[in-house]
Amino acid sequence: MHRGKGMKFVGDSRVPAKGKFIPPKDYSEYPGKTEAFLPNFLLKEWMVGAVFLIGFLILTMSDPSPLEKEADPTSSGYIPLPDWYFLFLYQLLKYPYASGDYKIIGTVIIPGLAAIGLLLAPWLDRGLERRPIKRPIATSIMLLTVVLMVYLTWESSVTHNWEQSEQQGKIVKQVEIDKSSKGYQLYSQNCAGCHGQNLEGGVGPALVGKNLNPAIVSSMATKGGGNMPPGVFKGSKQELDVLAKFVSDVSKK
Amino acid sequence: MFQKLYDWIDERLDITPLWRDLADHEVPEHVNPAYHFSAFVYCFGGLTFFTIVIQILSGMFLTMYYVPDINNAWDSVYYLQNDVAYGQIVRGMHHWGASVTIVMVFLHALRVFFTGAYKKPRELNWIVGVLLFFVILGLGFTGYLLPWDMKALFATKVGLQIAASFPIIGDWIKLLLQGSDIVGAQTLARFFAIHVFFLPALLMGLMAAHFLMIRRQGISGPL
Amino acid sequence: MSNKEHDVTRRQFLNYTLMGVGGFMAAGMLAPMVRFAIDPLLREEKGGKMVDVMAVKDITTEPVRKTFSVDRVDGWHKFKEEKIAYIFKDDNGKIIALSPVCTHLGCTVAWNDDPAHPNQFHCPCHGGRYTKTGINVPGTPPPEPLHVYETKVKNGRLYLGEEKPRGGA
């Protein structure tokens, strides 16, 4: 057995010493003062951590995490939105060259290239220079990517209808509705498509808990208002009164 | 007393070198914000770790109430948030913590990129870092479904549609993630398993590799 | 550094501060979570509502088996729990409602179904027996009498509440 020279001893085992490992620089070789990790530096890090934690706990106390109403797979017309950090991708898929027949560009090719580029960065940018200003190509590509992502996220958030988003997901308490009544039949024919079978909302806002008076209901149903187009209600004046009374009653529950 | 207990263990296992290695190394000036305030960019890695610790702990506690089942998931989340003491804070820590983790990972990655710290000999650590980033995005995506509210369901449908557009194997990936032909009971069970067991296991393995490599190679020098 | 014994060195001071800050972080992080986890321990018990079971005039001195259901809330899960009571009047005319859950190991006892021991409650699992008023017969497995329901009479109806151990008796 080979022993002695050219061997590195690790416990009981003998490892051939190849000596190719690039040893890390001793930190004392770096310019400037050094500081012991424990306790000096760790204390500073933890102080930053403690301040961060306080801010974070205040956030959790002041802003309850959002919870929309329970998922209803049969609901139609819900406009989904991913969490904010996927918004840039969501926005990208809206553009014509990344949707329709070219959808694959937005869903696979662009994110795929970005992912592979990121993974292979050390081999794409092999120069020894580390300063960002001295490697303009790498720096500018990354800056451009970041700017694009910020821009897409921004575009997505300003073009999104947040008010409608909030309406469509709101938790609405279940109320008892007399589904055999004349009022409900009229509601079901004229309004349920947008406001939901139980007045819980959908494309249009929920009506439950709105405390509407009949005059407003009949005015909205015929003349429209807000996002609601005019002339939705198709029926006689009498029917309108029945409908208005029904919706008004339920909205007060 | 602790000193005696420590000595008793150390006598048998020689544990001192294990932590002295971590404790005694010197931190150079160029990463220390106390000397150069601009060095605060070197804090993002540590803060990422801290937020991940928060995520793991709050996630563990949330599963004490959460049920991954379409009939109960939403009710259990509603209950734990509104009826259990401090539920809002614990769920808040997990919900907002997810966003904060993504921000921190992003800032940490940009710092490493712009200081060129990923160059030889640290290529492998960069790769592990990028994989960690992907795992964290995966945790974000799978976690979004779990409360089983409207946005969870419909956003996941879109997400799986994106997966399905992958050439050739797209439909296969979608079915594998979805577990069924609709986003429903089986999807929720799968996403829960992925979110709570598979990805965290991967995350911890990769993090261990990330830290071991840092200790082995040291942090990169000043620019 | 005149008194080496009592002076805190810079390093010690840093170590203590480090422990303090670390403790603060751990506490800030864990306190809400621990309170969250131990919530069931600190919940105030809500007194159960009394449930209408039967008309008082139908109660005789012979125990009758009555089932009734109680609304229960288990977190987000609400359901009706079926309960059984043996209801009768004792020798003084006092209404007694016994829970048929054997105090030995929780089987359900039945009235007067063992020919060898008439007019007793009998448990099929380990042969535990109770007298008519629910007192455990010495020498059989049950360690204490059957629990009794809280009773209330209102408008000629009998209402039952929670079952309570009788203790001693």
Side-chain angles (χ1 to χ4, degrees), chain B residues 50 54 57-58 61 64-65 67 72 75-76 79 83-87 89-90 93, chain C residues 11 25 28-40 43 74-77:
Chain B
F50 186 39
I54 292 179
L57 284 172
S58 56
F61 279 91
M64 289 187 131
Y65 291 93
V67 184
N72 290 303
D75 293 289
S76 65
Y79 175 77
D83 290 353
V84 180
Y86 289 61
I89 295 179
V90 179
M93 285 168 99
Chain C
R11 194 177 178 82
M25 283 206 290
M29 219 171 11
L30 285 170
M33 298 181 195
V34 170
R35 177 63 183 83
F36 176 77
I38 63 169
D39 189 57
R43 251 170 206 257
D74 175 16
W76 56 91
H77 181 212

Side-chain angles (χ1 to χ4, degrees), chain A residues 24 27 32-35 37-38 60-61 63 65-66 68-69 71 78 81 84 107 118 125 127 130 132 135, chain B residues 23 25-27 29 32 74 81 88 96 99 113 115-116 118-119 126 144 148-151 165 217 219 221:
Chain A
Y27 289 160
K33 289 180 193 136
T34 61
E35 192 173 56
F37 179 72
L38 194 88
T60 63
M61 279 183 269
D63 287 86
S65 341
E68 296 192 340
K69 65 184 172 196
Y78 183 90
L81 196 69
W84 64 268
T107 56
L118 205 57
D125 172 28
R130 284 179 47 216
R135 42 194 186 98
Chain B
H25 72 266
E26 294 279 308
V27 178
E29 183 182 312
N32 192 336
W74 187 87
Q81 172 150 354
Q88 183 197 319
W96 300 119
S99 293
F113 186 86
T115 56
Y118 57 89
K119 290 172 176 258
W126 170 261
Y144 203 60
W148 199 248
D149 59 358
M150 291 293 268
K151 65 177 187 312
S165 72
Q217 301 181 315
I219 37 182

Side-chain angles (χ1 to χ4, degrees), chain A residues 31 45 87 120 122 125 135 141 146 166 168 207 210 224 230 249:
Chain A
E45 282 216 313
L87 274 183
L120 297 183
D125 172 28
R135 42 194 186 98
I141 290 177
V146 172
E166 205 191 312
Q168 65 180 357
L207 300 174
K210 280 279 159 59
D249 286 350

Side-chain angles (χ1 to χ4, degrees), chain C residues 39-64:
Chain C
D39 189 57
L41 286 181
L42 300 174
R43 251 170 206 257
E44 279 176 33
E45 284 219 21
K46 275 177 268 160
K49 275 210 308 224
M50 306 289 266
V51 181
D52 180 354
V53 180
M54 68 187 294
V56 173
K57 65 175 168 41
D58 297 337
I59 303 173
T60 62
T61 51
E62 179 72 9
V64 269

